[in-house]
Structures are given as structure tokens and as C-alpha cells.
Amino acid sequence: MTDTRPKSPKGADRRELILRSAADLMAERGYSAVSMAQIGAAAGIVGSGVYRHFDSKATILGVLLERVIDAMHSGTRDIIAATEDGPDRLDAMIRKQTEIVVENRSLVAVYLRDSGNLPADDLRRLRLQQRELIGEWMRVCAAISPGSSEPELRMVVQGVLALINSICTYDNRLPADRIVAAITEMASSALRTGVPVP
């Protein structure tokens, strides 16, 4: 769900602050437990001020989740455009996905837990985008391991993405670069275990 109302530079800054505050609160407490007033307070404005930028909490959720899936799609497509078929492309995709999750933990946590709170049309659109993302990963895996079946590829890709997304399920105090390196190595190993890669 995209809010298309015009924004001044100051308004755009306030809008970003509201989104960051909402993402942090929703990641910590869950969508249902967060009110517009609490989002406003976290952003340093009264709750009614939030409505100058977003007409509902569902709109905020839609914008947040749209950002997550867009970042995942663009990161994957950038790697595909910049690399040739082969294991190195897959490793680069895994690393990029891990970096996106580490850099956007609150957003991804909300994405994983609260997407079911979207309005029906927005949820259908998000599910379609999720399937398209998984499809892109499956096509890269299939090019490397043409003997693998569609169910095998889907299982492995979904398992690897779940491993990467697990970063958001606990509070890890390790530096971001160490998390990226460790999760990338684990995810690459998991993928090679599930799909024969030369």
C-alpha cells in the first residue's frame, strides 16, 4: 500500500521518522499491540499528527512491508544482472539477502510476523511478490543444478531464506559484519547440501 500524498522536505523527514518508529515498535510488540498514539509518541509528535502523513496503521504497515519486499527484489535482481550463472552468483545473492536482513531487522521482523494484518488486496499483492522472489532464486538454483526437481528447489530456497531471516528472531549483539559472514557461510552450506552444486 503506497501513500501518494505530496510531501515537503520537512514532511518527508517526519514521515521517515514515523516509519522507523513504527517499525521498531511493531518489531518489539507486534502490530496489534501498537497504537497510532504510541507511534506518534515514539516519533516525538502527538498521535493525531501521524494522520497528516498516514491515514491508518494499516497504511503504515503496508508501506513498511512494501519496502522490505522491494529491497529483497532489487538486491536479488542487481546480483543477477551483475553476475554470470554459477555458484558465485548464488553466493552473492545469499550474502546480499543477509546484508538486507541485518540492515533492516525491525522491518523484516514485522514482515515475517505481521503481514497477515494487511488488508486483503495488499496481502495478496505481497504474497505474489514473495512467490516471484522465491521463483527468481529457484531459477538460479535450477541453472546450477538442472537435475533437481521443482519441489526440491522450492524446499531448499525457502529453507535458506528462513535461515537468513532467523537473524530477526533473537537479539544478537555480534557486529553486523560477523553476522553477515557467519549466516552467509551457513546458508551457502545449507543450499549446497539440499541442491547439488558443482
Side-chain angles (χ1 to χ4, degrees):
M1 179 182 296
T2 304
D3 188 345
T4 59
R5 285 176 286 189
K7 306 163 191 71
S8 67
K10 182 177 180 181
D13 291 343
R14 181 61 55 83
R15 186 175 186 273
E16 288 302 311
L17 180 56
I18 291 168
L19 288 169
R20 287 196 303 271
S21 300
D24 290 343
L25 286 173
M26 290 178 188
E28 178 184 351
R29 305 175 189 178
Y31 174 83
S32 298
V34 174
S35 68
M36 292 289 266
Q38 290 169 329
I39 293 170
I45 61 176
V46 296
S48 60
V50 178
Y51 289 97
R52 287 197 288 271
H53 301 274
F54 302 97
D55 57 18
S56 69
K57 190 171 67 166
T59 300
I60 294 176
L61 180 65
V63 172
L64 292 175
L65 299 192
E66 187 176 16
R67 286 189 172 189
V68 174
I69 198 70
D70 284 351
M72 292 177 176
H73 267 296
S74 63
T76 296
R77 289 167 180 164
D78 287 349
I79 296 298
I80 290 173
T83 57
E84 297 182 355
D85 275 339
D88 288 346
R89 168 181 281 177
L90 202 50
D91 287 340
M93 286 169 59
I94 289 170
R95 183 175 186 84
K96 184 63 176 180
Q97 183 81 3
T98 305
E99 290 172 345
I100 290 168
V101 172
V102 168
E103 292 167 4
N104 299 277
R105 286 192 202 186
S106 292
L107 281 177
V108 177
V110 174
Y111 167 81
L112 295 173
R113 185 180 58 202
D114 291 317
S115 60
N117 291 293
L118 285 172
D121 287 346
D122 295 325
L123 182 58
R124 278 193 292 271
R125 185 164 57 250
L126 178 68
R127 296 296 187 226
L128 175 61
Q129 291 171 309
Q130 290 170 331
R131 289 193 295 272
E132 290 172 350
L133 178 64
I134 290 171
E136 289 178 351
W137 280 68
M138 289 173 62
R139 284 189 288 276
V140 172
C141 289
I144 298 169
S145 182
S148 298
S149 67
E150 188 273 343
E152 288 174 324
L153 294 172
R154 186 174 300 278
M155 176 189 68
V156 172
V157 167
Q158 289 181 320
V160 166
L161 293 177
L163 171 59
I164 295 170
N165 290 336
S166 71
I167 297 165
C168 301
T169 65
Y170 58 93
D171 184 16
N172 193 319
R173 301 294 183 176
L174 288 173
D177 60 339
R178 288 185 61 189
I179 296 174
V180 169
I183 294 293
T184 297
E185 182 177 356
M186 285 189 283
S188 294
S189 296
L191 193 143
R192 282 164 171 72
T193 298
V195 175
V197 175

